Amino acid sequence: MNNFSIRAKFLILGIIGLISFLSLALLSLNINQKGFDNLQNVFTDFKKVQNIQSDYIEPLFVIRETILTLVMSPNDEYKKGADERLFPLIEEIKSRFQNVPEVLQKKWLAYERSLQTTRQYALEGFDEGSFMNAVSDEREAFYQLIFQLKNLQEERLELSQKTFNNAENTVLQSHYYLIAGFVLIGLISFLFDSIIVKQIVSSIEKVQQGLKSFFIYLRHQKPYDEELFIHIEHNDELGKMAEAINQRVAEIQEALHQDRLLIQEATETVNNLKEGKFGQRLHSSADYPELNALKDVMNAMIDNLERKIQEEITRRSDQEKLLVQQSKLAAIGNMLGNIAHQWRQPISEINAILMEIEAISRYHTLTQEVLISNLKLCYDVTDHMSNTICDFQNFFKPSKEQEHFSVIEACNNAVSIISSSLKFHNITLVYTTTSKDSFVLGYPNEFSHAILNILSNAKDILVERKCENPCITLNIKMGKKFTIIRIEDNGGGIISENIERIFEPYFTTKHAKQGTGIGLYMTKSIIENNMQGYVSVENTSKGALFTIKIR
């Protein structure tokens, strides 16, 4: 019987099947209709599960991400943009929660209240309150809502599983119905028919089980524990089909293995690019030409990306070197100006001493004691001038390594450099500090230079605008986490269209011969890049207020 073809077997069964054809046809139509209905129910239940994910869970995570963006926004403009994106998202999902069970509606209302609280704090500038609410009450309400949605999703998945099990049971039951039909109609040839049917059904079930295992393998895309080959020892059409299927499955497995290797290599390459690791290329080949084309495109994009990154690094390095050099030249110019102000009074003192010696010598009353006394005064003055040069050299000498330094002492150094220039221009410096000093990790000379840049800019504005009773206020305050330095002048402030660009390189509001646009850029670079601090500027009723925050 194993060597008979299926056609011959069915020819033998044809006489018996002719009698049962009509009844079996009606039975098959009924079974197919039930199977279609069950599949439709499975699809409907699965669609409901998918709608929970797409209509509720995913939009909730988008809202959560947007509110965190609002909380972490550095300024009002970013907050406004985040709030404009947040509001329509909330309105859209609010309408969807009107059609859910009451327990979900309550969870949504609790989360919405906490969400609006975080949003209100952020828009009112209460950043600490918005952050704390976002990571505590709002976060708790968010995950309670997600947990409730997950429960609903699991309930519907269980319902879908039950529907699928019913469909599977219906298919199994159909086999028994068919067998029962054959038994009732063909009692005479029961033994012969049962042998033929058993062989055919067994072969079909093996093919079905083999295909099912293969589809599971395709769906999970991972090594399958069971063997994927279909074992049929018959030489009929099903045996030949099983052999062809086995050959094709082996080819597909090998192709999928090659594709998987290429995808894994591509994923690893992309992750390395995210981490800043370059130099890796895709070398594996896939069975599908589209994946190979994608591999070539990715390699070309990586080559182009690395080339552009290297060009950008070179360009920025050259630009940074130029900015540093220009900053040094500007610093030298400021240093010479400050030295000139520091030396103006000592030179006048030396000139007065020399004039006194000249007057005494004309009347022949110059004694050795008077001459030596006046020369000693000249020596003292020149020694003071020499010490001034040393102070300026130490101030402008860059710090080689980071160290813990006193913020007050660094600010004192900057004030001592510019104090003579301020006195020359009749500018009052109001310098207030806390009783307790603050020590931070960084570069002390660079930090003093940053403070000096802001003081020099304030002085230049007050001189340029010829303000009455010019004044600069320098205040140092210790906080729990930050040390805050505020520098404010009464020069009328910065023009609104310039305030956003005040820290850009080469941007200056002074005449081309008076400013380079480097000072405040270097100040921002020193505070934020070298010391992980924060510097900002705003206009007050008096003038411009620079605020520096460092840990």
Side-chain angles (χ1 to χ4, degrees), residues 7-75:
R7 292 181 180 179
K9 295 176 183 178
F10 275 103
L11 182 60
I12 296 173
L13 295 175
I15 298 175
I16 302 173
L18 182 61
I19 301 174
S20 59
F21 174 79
L22 293 176
S23 60
L24 292 177
L26 294 174
L27 181 62
S28 299
L29 289 174
N30 184 42
I31 292 172
N32 288 336
Q33 183 61 39
K34 289 182 179 179
F36 177 80
D37 294 337
N38 289 328
L39 290 176
Q40 184 67 29
N41 292 334
V42 171
F43 175 79
T44 302
D45 293 337
F46 180 76
K47 191 66 176 178
K48 292 178 180 179
V49 174
Q50 189 179 28
N51 289 340
I52 293 176
Q53 183 71 26
S54 60
D55 294 344
Y56 297 93
I57 297 178
E58 291 179 359
L60 282 174
F61 275 100
V62 173
I63 290 175
R64 175 66 176 168
E65 180 181 357
T66 306
I67 192 65
L68 290 178
T69 301
L70 177 63
V71 171
M72 301 303 293
S73 295
N75 53 47

Side-chain angles (χ1 to χ4, degrees), residues 15 27 36 150 171 213 232 235 265 291 308 312 337 352 412 442 462 497 537:
I15 298 175
L27 181 62
F36 177 80
K150 290 288 186 180
V171 172
S213 300
I232 297 179
N235 293 326
E265 187 178 10
L291 288 178
K308 290 184 177 180
E312 183 66 17
N412 289 341
L462 293 173
E497 57 263 25
V537 62

Side-chain angles (χ1 to χ4, degrees), residues 388-448:
T388 300
I389 290 294
C390 292
D391 291 340
F392 275 89
Q393 286 178 335
N394 293 330
F395 180 82
F396 287 97
K397 184 186 299 182
S399 303
K400 295 182 179 180
E401 296 181 356
Q402 285 189 333
E403 60 181 87
H404 285 90
F405 65 91
S406 167
V407 174
I408 294 178
E409 182 179 349
C411 290
N412 289 341
N413 292 336
V415 170
S416 65
I417 295 298
I418 200 173
S419 59
S420 297
S421 179
L422 295 178
K423 291 179 181 178
F424 177 78
H425 293 289
N426 295 321
I427 298 175
T428 302
L429 176 64
V430 179
Y431 183 19
T432 58
T433 62
T434 57
S435 58
K436 183 179 179 181
D437 199 354
S438 172
F439 289 85
V440 297
L441 180 63
Y443 302 94
N445 286 356
E446 278 78 355
F447 179 75
S448 298

Side-chain angles (χ1 to χ4, degrees), residues 37-273:
D37 294 337
N38 289 328
L39 290 176
Q40 184 67 29
N41 292 334
V42 171
F43 175 79
T44 302
D45 293 337
F46 180 76
K47 191 66 176 178
K48 292 178 180 179
V49 174
Q50 189 179 28
N51 289 340
I52 293 176
Q53 183 71 26
S54 60
D55 294 344
Y56 297 93
I57 297 178
E58 291 179 359
L60 282 174
F61 275 100
V62 173
I63 290 175
R64 175 66 176 168
E65 180 181 357
T66 306
I67 192 65
L68 290 178
T69 301
L70 177 63
V71 171
M72 301 303 293
S73 295
N75 53 47
D76 293 338
E77 182 177 352
Y78 281 101
K79 289 182 178 180
K80 182 179 179 182
D83 187 61
E84 290 176 353
R85 297 193 302 272
L86 177 63
F87 184 76
L89 293 175
I90 297 175
E91 292 300 319
E92 180 181 357
I93 199 171
K94 184 188 297 184
S95 61
R96 297 176 184 172
F97 273 99
Q98 295 176 356
N99 301 322
V100 298
E102 183 178 359
V103 63
L104 273 178
Q105 292 182 1
K106 291 181 179 179
K107 294 294 184 181
W108 160 250
L109 293 176
Y111 174 63
E112 183 184 15
R113 288 193 296 270
S114 182
L115 183 70
Q116 293 293 349
T117 301
T118 303
R119 173 173 172 262
Q120 182 179 1
Y121 285 165
L123 294 178
E124 292 176 354
F126 186 25
D127 294 337
E128 183 178 358
S130 63
F131 177 79
M132 292 302 298
N133 193 68
V135 300
S136 57
D137 294 344
E138 182 198 331
R139 181 178 181 273
E140 181 66 21
F142 173 80
Y143 282 109
Q144 287 183 1
L145 179 58
I146 293 297
F147 177 77
Q148 196 66 38
L149 287 169
K150 290 288 186 180
N151 288 340
L152 179 60
Q153 197 175 36
E154 290 177 359
E155 292 174 2
R156 293 188 176 177
L157 277 175
E158 291 176 359
L159 180 61
S160 178
Q161 183 64 40
K162 291 180 180 178
T163 305
F164 176 79
N165 292 337
N166 292 334
E168 189 175 20
N169 293 333
T170 302
V171 172
L172 293 175
Q173 291 173 0
S174 67
H175 294 162
Y176 298 109
Y177 290 151
L178 290 173
I179 295 173
F182 281 116
V183 170
L184 292 175
I185 297 174
L187 292 176
I188 299 175
S189 57
F190 169 76
L191 181 61
F192 183 75
D193 291 347
S194 63
I195 295 174
I196 297 176
V197 171
K198 182 179 179 182
Q199 288 182 349
I200 296 175
V201 171
S202 176
S203 298
I204 292 175
E205 287 180 345
K206 289 181 179 179
V207 173
Q208 182 184 17
Q209 185 62 35
L211 290 175
K212 183 179 180 181
S213 300
F214 178 63
F215 291 146
I216 292 175
Y217 168 78
L218 291 178
R219 183 171 58 188
H220 293 286
Q221 287 292 298
K222 62 182 180 180
Y224 193 66
D225 295 335
E226 300 180 7
E227 191 175 7
L228 294 178
F229 289 96
I230 303 173
H231 297 281
I232 297 179
E233 298 178 355
H234 305 155
N235 293 326
D236 56 10
E237 286 84 349
L238 286 175
K240 294 178 181 179
M241 182 177 68
E243 183 179 355
I245 291 175
N246 290 337
Q247 182 179 358
R248 183 56 181 163
V249 165
E251 294 175 355
I252 293 176
Q253 278 187 296
E254 180 62 25
L256 289 176
H257 177 68
Q258 296 296 328
D259 295 343
R260 189 183 297 112
L261 289 178
L262 178 59
I263 293 173
Q264 289 176 352
E265 187 178 10
T267 303
E268 182 181 354
T269 301
V270 172
N271 290 333
N272 288 337
L273 289 175

